[in-house]
Amino acid sequence: MLEKFENLHGLKRTDRCGTLSAKDIGREVTVMGFVDSERNLGGLLFVNLRDISGIVQLFFDTANEELVKKASTVRSEFVLAARGVVCARGEGAVNKNMPTGEIEINVSELRILNKAKTPPFYIVENSDVKEELRLKYRYLDLRRPDMQRKLILRHKVAKIARDFFDENGFLEIETPMLNKSTPEGARDYLVPSRVKNGCFYALPQSPQLYKQLLMLSGMDRYFQIARCFRDEDLRADRQPEFTQIDIEMSFVEQDDVMNVNEKFIARVFKEILGVEVKTPFLRMPYSEAMSRYGSDKPDTRFGMELTDVSDLVKDCGFKVFSDAVANGGSVRLINAKNLADKISRKNIDALGEFAKTYKAKGLAWVKHTAEGIQSPIAKFFSEDEMNKILERANCEENDVLLFVADKNKVVFDTLGALRCEVAKRYDLIDENKFNLLWVTDFPLLEYSEEEGRYVAMHHPFTHPADEDLDKLDTEPQNVRAKAYDIILNGVELGGGSIRIYNSDLQEKMFEVLGLTKEEAESKFGFLVEAFKYGAPPHGGMAYGFDRFVMLLTKSASIRDVIAFPKVQNASELMTNAPDVVDAKQLEELGIELVKKDEKEEN
Amino acid sequence: MLEKFENLHGLKRTDRCGTLSAKDIGREVTVMGFVDSERNLGGLLFVNLRDISGIVQLFFDTANEELVKKASTVRSEFVLAARGVVCARGEGAVNKNMPTGEIEINVSELRILNKAKTPPFYIVENSDVKEELRLKYRYLDLRRPDMQRKLILRHKVAKIARDFFDENGFLEIETPMLNKSTPEGARDYLVPSRVKNGCFYALPQSPQLYKQLLMLSGMDRYFQIARCFRDEDLRADRQPEFTQIDIEMSFVEQDDVMNVNEKFIARVFKEILGVEVKTPFLRMPYSEAMSRYGSDKPDTRFGMELTDVSDLVKDCGFKVFSDAVANGGSVRLINAKNLADKISRKNIDALGEFAKTYKAKGLAWVKHTAEGIQSPIAKFFSEDEMNKILERANCEENDVLLFVADKNKVVFDTLGALRCEVAKRYDLIDENKFNLLWVTDFPLLEYSEEEGRYVAMHHPFTHPADEDLDKLDTEPQNVRAKAYDIILNGVELGGGSIRIYNSDLQEKMFEVLGLTKEEAESKFGFLVEAFKYGAPPHGGMAYGFDRFVMLLTKSASIRDVIAFPKVQNASELMTNAPDVVDAKQLEELGIELVKKDEKEEN
């Protein structure tokens, strides 16, 4: 026998809980929501009812015995509908910390729409419950107001994006999810075909090819908030499926793409955070970003820029330094200003360990204290040499210089990370700043030792700088790309490029990348063919939408801004996906599982 | 050596081609686009330049020899940038059929940004080129203005949906694509897991479970334009991936969902077609839709409703009729009014063949001509019997009655389809009508002969009608559902239901569907658990977005409103997806292909 339960019949919600205030006093309202808490104060019953807008207090008049009896059965997370009159609270009962704290609802009709088991954790703001438990019961975790605010904000950013790009003549066009696997790029998620056994679709890593084809088709300005997939081992802020704000424009140069995107970003900051950001943003060439910040994602909220002292130390007595320069590397330092009293010897050792994770062999240091210079490497330098270093580093009393000597890549990687780490540890970052800048003029190619060839730094469709076209044959390493990244507080929000639109240049590019004509044909044949029918100049941009929202909400994890995220091993803890499937399903797809022992043999 | 090609450097587009008119005369403009056509009229060169906004005529002054020489090399689909002054055309040259037909651009600077091979088909409106060729060169097919208009309209409908639901308090929340495979419903597309070899994700058939969980999490009103996947054999207007406008609301009853969706549909019709549709829409119970139209998707743009004559013929001498009634079936007819002179004997035979595709054994008919009644079955009826039939069918001179006698399902299916077919063949449909109505009160369950049990007509989460709850045990076949479909001109635009929110009722429902506790637990365990923590009453709706756009654009095929659609065998002709992949990819996934001969053995 089914237990009778109450329904909504004949009752309409008139208001959201959190929207009621003194202006509603005297109105009869009907609210619906979840029980946030219930109290019995000497026989007086109060229930805090919660919906997505906030919380309102329900009061049950003791005169109505039946009602009070019913209300007294109510527990946390029960689902209620309540009709009653909005009343002012007694003077002592006003709660200034609550938007609805001046009023309560004197309930005349109560319906218990659903009961609830005791949840495995409290539904409160800023829960410190283990994330595994939160994700297993994500539907309860998302009842927490801070999580709801994040998803509301995410919705708003997406809405602003759609409004903005629509107003600027972009069409949102959906591109396919069941694609062809392309061997360049990250690992694809594959989808076996039932109709063509032995063949597979790939889920898109990005809509790159399709959006370029849309430009070829004359769609002029394309935009999409698109789901993308990469089967990579997950790092802290990576998800196997993620969302991209994806943009492409025809008949544009780099500045045109950057201009429209600056306006978009400024609009988001204005509407979401109430922050006015100045346009145009700073534009910094890659080479400058590297030499000043050791990073193509410079965090400019603090100083501590890199100083190159290679020329000063190339003949010094400290072999680590002189060898690094002799081997084509460099010696650079950062100056941790006014921190000598805070950075102990032990702290420096810890920073040294940090440096080693970036492949530096060690961290040399100089402290400028009231007593003079302290440094284990001081003995290798003449006073003149040391003074020149101190001068160039603008080293004053209470400063600490941290040196790395190695191949340039290691020097940049290490000092770039170290300056952020020092800033974090010694609280140099103004968390209220939103520093936005473009990094431009990336190298087109990087040499892959592993593959013994040049690979595209961005992707093989990125246009070389016009001035560098002639260098493609002679000095490919020095060819710059029409590529640009947008950086917010040291994090890459997005990036893009002007694309190759000339099919001869595209074939040249494949040649530079070491592809034979046959390989290029089999990998990108239909695309090269497409470009022969008249391609307009075009370029675009893509934002990591999850990360964008994470930064705007100052969330600790990307998982906090995704309704149902996956964890490190790419599984979802709530549904337990992925999971085993029926043998019949595999049979239809013409695939079978490799048996364990078979695998071990291989 | 790379051939030099021209770029945009220093040139900015000022206007779109199709937006220029007499008001711009005298302005210097820069336009960019594709060559739609070029003409040489006795040495005078004209080029029609096309972009997404339309076409404008370029003119090259013969005085500028170098320019004319360059312009004369231009061919169809070349990509150009042209700067010049907008001029009035000479009087004889005005083209009234062209929005920009009063003006032309007297070009002073021309850049040939790209050349083009001759396309495999003409880039013109309403091409009659074979669809295979169009899809292979989709990027050229999408240059055709009629295709561009369809994608623009699709963008607009999506934008209206997002504006409307945002204004009404709905949050767009993205739900995962890499899901758990659930055995109910259509066939899933599977995605093998690399991290957990032997396990699979499934691509979503709809966000159903997640949107219900979002209601459990108190998100209140959810909305998403979501990609969905079904691995079914494709029919004419099906795609393996399709797009759904997906909605869910908390604390609502059926009317609330219908009301907000009527407002949405009315807004789309107003903004897209300029058509005012009256709300509320007609609401028709399923039983009425079936008895009047033989269909749960009635096309009400024309009459020809079904007439039940079972009681009149149950004792007649025509065994086909009397047996059908005796076996629990029925005899029904449609009256093809005033068509006797148009529907020949041969035409009736053709309709009979059509009827057979719906499992009818044949089509009986009566023609009322000036000479009286003509019918092969007249001899089985007394005059009185025949007159009663004619009277009930409102049969007048020049009418044709078409009868089907069978089990009710066959009678409805056949006559439901036949009335549409007759209407189509004899031009009874006013194509300017947009008839919208709700079909409500669907049966909750249907008996599956194949499975020997009741199955959910909608899905197992649909709420039974409150008045019918007690019948779940005693007469499940008569339980109605809180389910509703929205029908436009005989096509289902979308549908939805109020969901079960009481976990006891949900378990009861699984029991009625013949699932053991263990099966229910293993299939829907986490969901049933979720419902125990306090679920609000909720319900929702989903629209087939592709089909919606197809109807609004009066397109012949759903493929015409999808940028890159798939064909019958679920492949994409442009990229040739799905395709074979590297052995290494499969190895990482722990799967292998079943070999052909192995398969044949099985």
Side-chain angles (χ1 to χ4, degrees):
Chain A
M1 217 7 237
L2 206 55
E3 199 190 340
K4 287 284 169 209
F5 54 91
E6 294 190 281
N7 62 33
L8 287 176
H9 201 64
L11 213 57
K12 291 250 185 260
R13 176 161 63 168
T14 61
D15 293 83
R16 297 291 188 278
C17 297
T19 63
L20 295 170
S21 69
K23 72 177 183 330
D24 299 295
I25 288 170
R27 274 182 61 215
E28 187 182 74
V29 297
T30 300
V31 292
M32 303 181 185
F34 302 82
V35 173
D36 198 62
S37 61
E38 88 286 349
R39 280 164 304 150
N40 184 328
L41 297 179
L44 290 179
L45 276 185
F46 298 93
V47 166
N48 271 351
L49 195 69
R50 185 190 67 238
D51 68 18
I52 195 167
S53 70
I55 289 173
V56 71
Q57 179 167 293
L58 308 180
F59 169 67
F60 301 88
D61 192 335
T62 46
N64 190 335
E65 277 181 39
E66 205 175 320
L67 181 71
V68 167
K69 195 176 152 202
K70 189 174 188 179
S72 69
T73 67
V74 155
R75 295 290 171 268
S76 277
E77 302 308 318
F78 275 32
V79 182
L80 308 183
R83 189 166 57 81
V85 174
V86 178
C87 304
R89 293 197 194 182
E91 245 181 56
V94 167
N95 182 344
K96 299 250 179 210
N97 297 321
M98 205 173 157
T100 63
E102 289 182 72
I103 56 106
E104 62 191 2
I105 299 175
N106 189 345
V107 176
S108 54
E109 182 182 1
L110 174 70
R111 295 196 197 170
I112 300 178
L113 300 169
N114 230 328
K115 295 177 179 179
K117 293 208 297 187
T118 304
F121 49 78
Y122 290 110
I123 310 297
V124 292
E125 302 250 343
N126 305 315
S127 172
D128 59 356
V129 172
K130 261 205 329 197
E131 198 183 11
E132 285 72 45
L133 197 64
R134 286 174 49 203
L135 289 175
K136 180 167 181 205
Y137 295 94
R138 186 60 156 184
Y139 46 89
L140 297 178
D141 190 40
L142 291 180
R143 284 189 193 167
R144 299 194 301 107
D146 50 334
M147 292 302 286
Q148 296 193 341
R149 283 196 300 270
K150 285 174 207 263
L151 291 186
I152 291 170
L153 187 141
R154 183 180 174 116
H155 161 78
K156 283 186 181 159
V157 178
K159 186 68 175 55
I160 291 167
R162 290 194 159 100
D163 290 345
F164 176 86
F165 288 107
D166 175 70
E167 287 160 20
N168 284 278
F170 291 76
L171 298 173
E172 185 156 21
I173 300 176
E174 297 175 65
T175 52
M177 292 279 184
L178 296 174
N179 294 350
K180 181 166 162 157
S181 183
T182 50
E184 298 276 304
R187 198 185 285 111
D188 281 327
Y189 276 105
L190 297 182
V191 181
S193 163
R194 180 179 55 85
V195 182
K196 287 170 85 175
N197 275 187
C199 288
F200 293 79
Y201 303 97
L203 299 179
Q205 295 184 24
S206 86
Q208 184 65 34
L209 293 189
Y210 285 104
K211 71 175 178 173
Q212 292 196 239
L213 289 169
L214 285 171
M215 295 304 99
L216 263 61
S217 73
M219 297 309 299
D220 214 283
R221 293 185 160 201
Y222 146 94
F223 153 77
Q224 188 180 196
I225 300 190
R227 199 72 58 84
C228 303
F229 303 82
R230 277 178 208 175
D231 187 10
E232 296 296 329
D233 297 314
L234 298 189
R235 281 187 272 138
D237 61 347
R238 284 274 179 88
Q239 286 280 316
E241 50 177 313
F242 57 97
T243 303
Q244 201 165 287
I245 302 183
D246 198 43
I247 296 151
E248 197 77 8
M249 305 167 75
S250 288
F251 301 112
V252 291
E253 295 189 290
Q254 181 163 318
D255 274 351
D256 302 306
V257 181
M258 289 160 92
N259 287 340
V260 75
N261 279 285
E262 285 179 351
K263 289 199 188 90
F264 164 59
I265 293 169
R267 171 115 155 231
V268 169
F269 274 81
K270 180 84 192 295
E271 293 193 19
I272 294 292
L273 300 173
V275 170
E276 297 274 0
V277 293
K278 275 211 189 94
T279 58
F281 304 156
L282 183 66
R283 295 173 189 201
M284 189 183 289
Y286 172 87
S287 57
E288 181 184 340
M290 294 309 283
S291 65
R292 289 177 59 190
Y293 299 96
S295 169
D296 57 1
K297 303 183 245 304
D299 188 340
T300 57
R301 286 175 299 175
F302 58 95
M304 231 193 311
E305 295 184 14
L306 277 59
T307 302
D308 187 350
V309 291
S310 305
D311 58 321
L312 303 182
V313 303
K314 66 181 199 302
D315 302 317
C316 77
F318 187 41
K319 255 185 88 61
V320 173
F321 280 16
S322 54
D323 281 3
V325 180
N327 293 333
S330 59
V331 180
R332 295 170 205 250
L333 61 86
I334 54 175
N335 181 351
K337 283 220 85 69
N338 204 27
L339 287 173
D341 55 342
K342 294 211 181 93
I343 303 184
S344 69
R345 186 72 76 90
K346 215 172 130 191
N347 296 147
I348 292 182
D349 289 346
L351 292 174
E353 290 307 310
F354 178 85
K356 282 178 189 164
T357 65
Y358 290 85
K359 300 198 179 152
K361 287 184 276 295
L363 200 59
W365 56 272
V366 169
K367 260 192 183 189
H368 190 330
T369 69
E371 289 78 45
I373 294 300
Q374 289 177 16
S375 170
I377 60 166
K379 58 189 173 207
F380 298 110
F381 297 88
S382 69
E383 201 183 316
D384 182 49
E385 281 174 334
M386 183 58 83
N387 281 339
K388 280 189 173 147
I389 293 172
L390 296 179
E391 190 188 354
R392 183 173 296 171
N394 184 26
C395 185
E396 300 164 308
E397 196 177 306
N398 207 30
D399 289 359
V400 184
L401 306 184
L402 300 167
F403 297 75
V404 175
D406 213 310
K407 284 183 295 189
N408 282 322
K409 181 169 165 34
V410 174
V411 172
F412 287 139
D413 283 357
T414 308
L415 286 179
L418 194 66
R419 69 179 278 279
C420 295
E421 186 64 20
V422 170
K424 212 180 294 166
R425 290 194 190 183
Y426 299 96
D427 210 16
L428 308 182
I429 301 174
D430 178 352
E431 294 291 347
N432 293 318
K433 270 192 180 166
F434 288 100
N435 278 21
L436 285 154
L437 64 93
W438 294 100
V439 174
T440 62
D441 298 282
F442 281 83
L444 182 71
L445 304 160
E446 48 190 354
Y447 192 77
S448 164
E449 301 283 351
E450 200 180 320
E451 305 192 38
R453 64 170 177 109
Y454 283 101
V455 296
M457 193 155 174
H458 199 60
H459 56 54
F461 315 112
T462 302
H463 204 294
D466 297 323
E467 315 86 279
D468 297 347
L469 279 177
D470 291 337
K471 298 183 192 161
L472 273 172
D473 287 310
T474 53
E475 36 176 335
Q477 73 280 7
N478 290 332
V479 176
R480 288 162 301 166
K482 296 187 184 180
Y484 34 84
D485 279 356
I486 177 84
I487 309 300
L488 169 60
N489 293 349
V491 179
E492 182 193 329
L493 264 193
S497 66
I498 297 296
R499 328 297 184 184
I500 296 171
Y501 59 96
N502 179 287
S503 62
D504 293 339
L505 180 57
Q506 186 64 65
E507 285 179 0
K508 173 93 216 159
M509 182 70 180
F510 288 141
E511 190 189 314
V512 171
L513 291 171
L515 272 72
T516 64
K517 278 221 163 175
E518 291 68 36
E519 284 171 325
E521 171 62 29
S522 89
K523 287 182 180 184
F524 300 107
F526 87 94
L527 195 76
V528 172
E529 168 78 0
F531 274 83
K532 295 193 165 146
Y533 293 101
H538 60 289
M541 177 101 193
Y543 296 87
F545 182 52
D546 309 292
R547 197 185 291 172
F548 200 166
V549 176
M550 182 180 82
L551 292 172
L552 290 170
T553 55
K554 296 184 188 288
S555 298
S557 156
I558 210 165
R559 291 182 296 279
D560 276 353
V561 299
I562 296 173
F564 300 99
K566 299 206 166 46
V567 294
Q568 199 82 0
N569 69 352
S571 72
E572 197 202 281
L573 299 181
M574 185 179 67
T575 59
N576 197 33
D579 206 346
V580 293
V581 296
D582 290 349
K584 183 168 168 281
Q585 292 175 277
L586 300 187
E587 196 184 299
E588 286 183 316
L589 298 174
I591 60 174
E592 52 192 17
L593 305 179
V594 176
K595 286 182 200 69
K596 254 249 160 92
D597 44 347
E598 216 175 300
K599 251 164 88 180
E600 275 153 18
E601 271 167 39
N602 292 345
Chain B
M1 217 10 235
L2 205 56
E3 197 190 342
K4 288 283 170 208
F5 53 92
E6 293 191 281
N7 62 34
L8 287 177
H9 202 63
L11 214 56
K12 291 251 184 262
R13 176 161 64 166
T14 62
D15 292 83
R16 297 290 187 279
C17 297
T19 64
L20 294 170
S21 67
K23 71 177 183 332
D24 300 296
I25 288 170
R27 275 181 60 215
E28 187 183 75
V29 297
T30 301
V31 293
M32 303 181 185
F34 301 83
V35 173
D36 197 64
S37 60
E38 87 284 351
R39 279 164 304 151
N40 186 329
L41 297 180
L44 291 180
L45 274 187
F46 297 93
V47 166
N48 271 351
L49 194 68
R50 183 188 68 236
D51 67 18
I52 194 166
S53 70
I55 289 173
V56 72
Q57 179 167 293
L58 307 180
F59 168 68
F60 302 87
D61 192 334
T62 45
N64 190 335
E65 275 180 39
E66 204 172 323
L67 181 71
V68 167
K69 193 175 154 206
K70 188 173 188 181
S72 70
T73 68
V74 155
R75 296 290 172 268
S76 277
E77 302 309 317
F78 274 33
V79 182
L80 307 183
R83 189 166 56 83
V85 174
V86 178
C87 304
R89 294 196 193 182
E91 243 178 61
V94 168
N95 181 343
K96 299 251 179 212
N97 297 322
M98 206 174 158
T100 62
E102 290 182 72
I103 56 108
E104 62 191 1
I105 300 175
N106 188 344
V107 176
S108 54
E109 181 182 2
L110 173 70
R111 296 198 196 168
I112 299 177
L113 300 169
N114 230 328
K115 297 179 178 179
K117 292 208 298 188
T118 305
F121 49 80
Y122 289 112
I123 311 296
V124 292
E125 302 251 342
N126 306 316
S127 171
D128 59 356
V129 172
K130 260 205 329 194
E131 197 183 12
E132 285 71 45
L133 196 64
R134 287 175 47 202
L135 289 175
K136 180 167 181 205
Y137 296 93
R138 187 60 157 183
Y139 46 90
L140 297 178
D141 190 39
L142 292 180
R143 283 188 193 169
R144 299 195 298 109
D146 49 336
M147 292 302 285
Q148 297 193 341
R149 283 196 300 269
K150 285 175 207 261
L151 291 186
I152 292 170
L153 187 141
R154 183 180 174 117
H155 162 77
K156 283 187 180 158
V157 178
K159 188 66 174 55
I160 292 168
R162 290 193 159 102
D163 290 345
F164 177 85
F165 288 107
D166 175 70
E167 288 160 20
N168 285 277
F170 291 77
L171 297 172
E172 184 155 24
I173 300 175
E174 296 175 66
T175 52
M177 291 280 184
L178 295 173
N179 294 350
K180 182 168 162 155
S181 181
T182 50
E184 298 277 302
R187 199 185 285 110
D188 281 327
Y189 276 105
L190 297 182
V191 182
S193 163
R194 179 180 55 86
V195 182
K196 288 169 83 176
N197 276 187
C199 288
F200 293 79
Y201 303 96
L203 299 178
Q205 295 185 24
S206 87
Q208 184 65 31
L209 293 188
Y210 285 104
K211 71 175 176 171
Q212 292 197 238
L213 289 169
L214 286 170
M215 296 303 100
L216 263 61
S217 74
M219 296 309 299
D220 215 284
R221 292 184 160 201
Y222 146 95
F223 153 78
Q224 189 181 195
I225 301 189
R227 200 72 57 85
C228 303
F229 303 83
R230 278 179 209 175
D231 186 8
E232 296 295 330
D233 296 315
L234 297 189
R235 280 186 272 139
D237 61 349
R238 283 274 178 89
Q239 286 280 315
E241 50 177 313
F242 56 97
T243 303
Q244 201 165 286
I245 303 182
D246 198 44
I247 296 151
E248 197 77 7
M249 306 167 74
S250 288
F251 301 113
V252 292
E253 296 189 289
Q254 181 163 320
D255 273 351
D256 302 307
V257 181
M258 289 160 90
N259 287 340
V260 76
N261 279 286
E262 284 179 353
K263 289 198 187 91
F264 164 58
I265 293 168
R267 171 114 155 232
V268 170
F269 274 81
K270 180 82 193 296
E271 293 193 19
I272 295 293
L273 301 174
V275 170
E276 298 273 0
V277 293
K278 273 210 191 97
T279 58
F281 304 156
L282 183 66
R283 293 171 191 205
M284 189 183 289
Y286 172 87
S287 56
E288 182 184 339
M290 293 308 285
S291 65
R292 288 177 60 190
Y293 299 97
S295 168
D296 58 1
K297 305 185 245 304
D299 189 340
T300 58
R301 287 176 297 174
F302 58 94
M304 231 192 312
E305 295 184 15
L306 276 60
T307 302
D308 187 351
V309 292
S310 304
D311 57 321
L312 303 181
V313 303
K314 68 180 196 299
D315 302 317
C316 77
F318 187 40
K319 253 182 89 60
V320 173
F321 280 16
S322 54
D323 282 2
V325 180
N327 294 332
S330 58
V331 180
R332 296 170 204 251
L333 61 86
I334 53 174
N335 181 352
K337 283 219 85 69
N338 205 26
L339 288 173
D341 55 340
K342 296 209 181 95
I343 303 183
S344 68
R345 188 70 76 90
K346 212 170 135 194
N347 296 147
I348 291 181
D349 288 346
L351 292 174
E353 289 308 310
F354 178 85
K356 282 178 189 163
T357 66
Y358 290 86
K359 300 199 179 152
K361 286 184 277 295
L363 200 59
W365 56 271
V366 168
K367 259 193 185 188
H368 190 330
T369 68
E371 289 80 45
I373 295 300
Q374 290 176 14
S375 170
I377 61 167
K379 57 189 173 206
F380 298 110
F381 297 89
S382 69
E383 201 182 318
D384 182 48
E385 282 173 334
M386 182 57 84
N387 280 339
K388 280 186 174 149
I389 292 172
L390 296 180
E391 190 187 353
R392 183 172 296 173
N394 184 27
C395 183
E396 300 164 309
E397 198 177 303
N398 206 29
D399 290 358
V400 184
L401 305 184
L402 300 166
F403 297 75
V404 175
D406 213 310
K407 285 184 295 187
N408 281 322
K409 183 172 164 31
V410 173
V411 173
F412 287 139
D413 283 358
T414 307
L415 287 179
L418 193 67
R419 70 179 277 281
C420 295
E421 186 65 20
V422 170
K424 212 180 295 167
R425 291 195 189 183
Y426 299 97
D427 210 17
L428 308 183
I429 301 173
D430 178 353
E431 293 290 347
N432 292 318
K433 270 192 182 168
F434 288 100
N435 279 19
L436 286 153
L437 63 93
W438 294 100
V439 173
T440 63
D441 298 283
F442 281 84
L444 183 70
L445 304 160
E446 50 190 353
Y447 192 78
S448 162
E449 301 282 353
E450 200 180 319
E451 304 193 37
R453 62 169 179 110
Y454 283 102
V455 296
M457 192 155 172
H458 198 61
H459 56 54
F461 314 112
T462 303
H463 205 294
D466 297 322
E467 315 86 278
D468 298 347
L469 279 177
D470 291 337
K471 296 183 192 161
L472 273 171
D473 287 310
T474 52
E475 37 175 336
Q477 72 281 9
N478 290 331
V479 176
R480 288 162 303 167
K482 295 187 183 179
Y484 35 83
D485 279 357
I486 178 84
I487 309 300
L488 170 59
N489 292 350
V491 179
E492 183 192 329
L493 263 193
S497 66
I498 297 298
R499 327 298 183 184
I500 295 171
Y501 60 95
N502 178 288
S503 62
D504 292 339
L505 180 57
Q506 186 65 65
E507 286 180 0
K508 173 92 217 162
M509 183 69 180
F510 288 142
E511 190 189 313
V512 172
L513 292 172
L515 272 73
T516 64
K517 280 220 161 175
E518 293 66 37
E519 283 172 327
E521 171 61 30
S522 89
K523 288 183 180 181
F524 300 107
F526 88 92
L527 195 75
V528 172
E529 168 79 359
F531 274 83
K532 294 194 166 147
Y533 293 100
H538 61 290
M541 176 102 193
Y543 296 86
F545 182 52
D546 310 292
R547 197 184 294 171
F548 200 166
V549 176
M550 181 181 81
L551 292 171
L552 289 169
T553 54
K554 295 183 189 286
S555 297
S557 156
I558 209 163
R559 291 183 296 278
D560 276 354
V561 298
I562 296 173
F564 301 99
K566 301 205 164 46
V567 294
Q568 199 84 358
N569 70 351
S571 73
E572 196 201 280
L573 299 181
M574 184 180 67
T575 60
N576 197 32
D579 206 346
V580 294
V581 295
D582 289 349
K584 182 166 168 282
Q585 293 175 278
L586 301 187
E587 197 183 299
E588 287 184 315
L589 298 174
I591 60 175
E592 52 191 18
L593 304 179
V594 176
K595 287 183 197 70
K596 255 249 162 94
D597 43 349
E598 218 176 298
K599 252 165 87 182
E600 275 155 17
E601 272 168 39
N602 290 345

